[in-house]
Amino acid sequence: MDSHTDGTSPLYGIPFNVVHGNSTAKISVIIDDYPDQSDIVPAPIPTNAVIEGDFENGPNTNGPGYNVNQRGDSHLLIWDEDNNIGYELYGACRPTDTNTIDETPHTDGKWHAAQESVWNYNTNDFRPLGYTSADAAGLPILAGLARPDEGLPVSQGGQGGIYHALRMTLPGSIVSRQYIYPASHIVSEAGQLPLGSRLRLQNNSTVNSLIAAMGPESQIVAHAMQQYGLILADVGSAMYVTGASAAQNATNGISLVWNMNDILAGLEQLRASNFDVVNLTPVVTNLSQSAGASGTTLTINGYNFSGAAGHLFVFFGTNAAPAPTVLGDSQISVTVPASSGTVNVTIQSGLYEPDTNDSPGANVNGPIFGYGTSPTNAADQFTFVAQPKILRVFAKGGNFIMSGTNNSGAGGAYQVLASTNLLLPLTNWMVLTSNAFDGSGNFAFTNAISSTNIGLFYLLRVQ
């Protein structure tokens, strides 16, 4: 709610509706503008549905659109609590409204909308590349709203924290004709920031001093901006972070509302200069070793290794490594695949998919349904060393004799280790010798056989 009290002002933010989909009748909606990019299915619209642009004291029947007293984008958001499915409509028009969003007189007495998207919150599905949603970027709206049931302190009935990114808008002069994961759609603008871009509130003494002076609700929203950031979802007002007008209970009645004096007085202290644009492209800073043989376990260090919904790949040159293990945002463990020479180790975040609905280059990642591929640098180079071979093992004259080659020519060091127990870790094996391969890359090792070393297991380790 805003600060007006007579009930005739539009609701602040975007409201949402809660229904029980197993018992609420589903209504067919006529999609006027984007039927080819819509999920045209009947929606469980409640009888008391609240739409963006409605008045505080009831429906605004002037319909969607941008003339005086109309509802603007007129988003209708519905969450089916029984099935965890969201229905989102842009330009929603009630049967009793006077016009549709295209300013066409509304005379057929049916529900209309410009676009309809259905989101199954039990999955990680996204819109097809190039498709819009009820939001310009092709993103779900409800998932990005600041809701009072999350953002109010626990003492006021909320959960005391918002644990997701928040939806935001920027003017068209800033938004580019591109998108970045998880967005899927472009707009005809000429700025530099693609839809789907992430911004994060800085964590420094200046910003933290501003937050400390805010009210409790503003502090919770600001901390979400620091921890989870903002995501560019549409063209609109500058740095407009969108919240839900109220939280709804199980019967679609208002349960919690924001203290707008707290929210506006607090968050209006922040400026665009207090935010950073976040680049989530993976970066490799170093490898645990710069050379080794195929089959070696390698640790890759860097950042931005998480957040690709499981779609993260490691390449040694053009050869893909078997399934990597993401140890955290800054480390990956991987088994070196077969290859040769010196190559760059790169991290690909996301899946390559062609965007057949837009012009080439619409996806800022070229196109990749993720955050992109790490740029190459000297720190990510890996040199393949041929796997050494033990060519002969035999006993002669009371000696155990082993010989072989490193398969790579002159140079290189090796160790021969021994143990009576194959299951012991290598750190517990006994080093019998440390030596260098000869000018041809060969080695030979002799160990006298005695009553004390019968039953030894031998291992060659190239250093």
Side-chain angles (χ1 to χ4, degrees):
M1 301 291 183
D2 68 11
S3 57
H4 295 80
T5 57
D6 61 4
T8 60
S9 297
L11 292 166
Y12 197 90
I14 303 178
F16 66 97
N17 300 267
V18 176
V19 302
H20 292 280
N22 293 341
S23 57
T24 302
K26 293 182 172 62
I27 298 171
S28 295
V29 179
I30 297 173
I31 306 302
D32 296 320
D33 292 57
Y34 303 97
D36 58 331
Q37 295 184 25
S38 290
D39 304 313
I40 304 179
V41 299
I45 302 175
T47 55
N48 60 340
V50 183
I51 301 176
E52 180 186 21
D54 275 346
F55 298 129
E56 294 173 356
N57 61 2
N60 174 356
T61 59
N62 294 306
Y66 307 100
N67 292 326
V68 177
N69 294 326
Q70 291 180 345
R71 291 199 303 262
D73 285 353
S74 191
H75 288 109
L76 170 58
L77 309 183
I78 302 166
W79 178 52
D80 173 1
E81 184 176 12
D82 293 341
N83 301 290
N84 198 24
I85 292 176
Y87 297 80
E88 300 190 349
L89 297 100
Y90 159 62
C93 173
R94 291 186 178 91
T96 55
D97 286 343
T98 58
N99 62 272
T100 66
I101 200 167
D102 296 320
E103 309 302 339
T104 303
H106 184 203
T107 59
D108 62 6
K110 298 180 180 179
W111 277 91
H112 283 245
Q115 201 278 344
E116 178 184 10
S117 293
V118 179
W119 301 94
N120 185 343
Y121 296 127
N122 298 310
T123 71
N124 282 325
D125 288 342
F126 301 94
R127 304 294 289 168
L129 298 185
Y131 274 33
T132 188
S133 65
D135 224 349
L139 298 167
I141 298 173
L142 179 58
L145 295 181
R147 307 194 319 265
D149 55 295
E150 298 175 308
L152 265 59
V154 174
S155 61
Q156 298 176 23
Q159 71 178 15
I162 298 174
Y163 306 117
H164 58 80
L166 300 176
R167 175 189 186 271
M168 66 164 296
T169 65
L170 287 173
S173 59
I174 299 175
V175 180
S176 74
R177 189 179 171 83
Q178 287 183 315
Y179 62 86
I180 190 170
Y181 169 87
S184 63
H185 187 248
I186 61 175
V187 289
S188 299
E189 304 294 346
Q192 296 185 359
L193 206 61
L195 289 173
S197 293
R198 300 292 189 113
L199 284 78
R200 180 177 291 146
L201 181 60
Q202 297 163 354
N203 184 2
N204 56 41
S205 59
T206 299
V207 172
N208 290 334
S209 294
L210 293 174
I211 295 175
M214 296 178 183
E217 296 178 22
S218 294
Q219 286 194 21
I220 290 172
V221 177
H223 286 142
M225 293 177 180
Q226 283 185 320
Q227 181 68 29
Y228 299 96
L230 310 175
I231 186 164
L232 179 57
D234 205 346
V235 175
S237 301
M239 299 298 295
Y240 183 74
V241 180
T242 318
S245 311
Q248 309 302 114
N249 58 29
T251 58
N252 205 36
I254 292 177
S255 60
L256 296 169
V257 297
W258 296 104
N259 178 340
M260 293 307 296
N261 291 326
D262 179 330
I263 292 294
L264 295 180
L267 298 180
E268 285 180 352
Q269 303 304 309
L270 301 175
R271 297 291 179 265
S273 59
N274 298 134
F275 291 81
D276 294 321
V277 177
V278 181
N279 183 352
L280 294 175
T281 304
V283 173
V284 177
T285 56
N286 65 77
L287 309 175
S288 60
Q289 59 190 73
S290 60
S294 299
T296 302
T297 299
L298 184 72
T299 300
I300 304 170
N301 299 302
Y303 51 90
N304 293 341
F305 294 161
S306 58
H311 302 304
L312 190 125
F313 308 90
V314 176
F315 289 89
F316 286 71
T318 58
N319 291 350
T325 301
V326 179
L327 303 175
D329 194 60
S330 61
Q331 276 196 332
I332 297 171
S333 177
V334 66
T335 301
V336 176
S339 190
S340 61
T342 299
V343 299
N344 293 100
V345 179
T346 55
I347 312 299
Q348 176 185 310
S349 167
L351 293 171
Y352 276 96
E353 292 185 16
D355 179 349
T356 58
N357 296 287
D358 293 313
S359 59
N363 187 327
V364 69
N365 281 331
I368 181 174
F369 204 35
Y371 296 118
T373 299
S374 60
T376 58
N377 61 75
D380 68 24
Q381 291 185 344
F382 183 84
T383 300
F384 281 86
V385 176
Q387 188 73 36
K389 290 184 179 180
I390 298 174
L391 299 177
R392 298 184 66 197
V393 175
F394 60 97
K396 182 179 180 181
N399 292 318
F400 169 81
I401 302 171
M402 179 171 66
S403 62
T405 177
N406 63 10
N407 278 326
S408 59
Y414 69 90
Q415 288 181 328
V416 177
L417 296 83
S419 173
T420 58
N421 185 353
L422 275 173
L423 300 181
L424 287 178
L426 287 181
T427 53
N428 292 338
W429 284 49
M430 178 173 53
V431 177
L432 298 180
T433 186
S434 296
N435 215 328
F437 292 95
D438 65 19
S440 299
N442 299 319
F443 80 96
F445 167 75
T446 300
N447 193 36
I449 300 173
S450 69
S451 60
T452 60
N453 65 5
I454 294 176
L456 281 180
F457 297 97
Y458 293 89
L459 182 144
L460 173 69
R461 179 165 65 185
V462 178
Q463 297 179 298

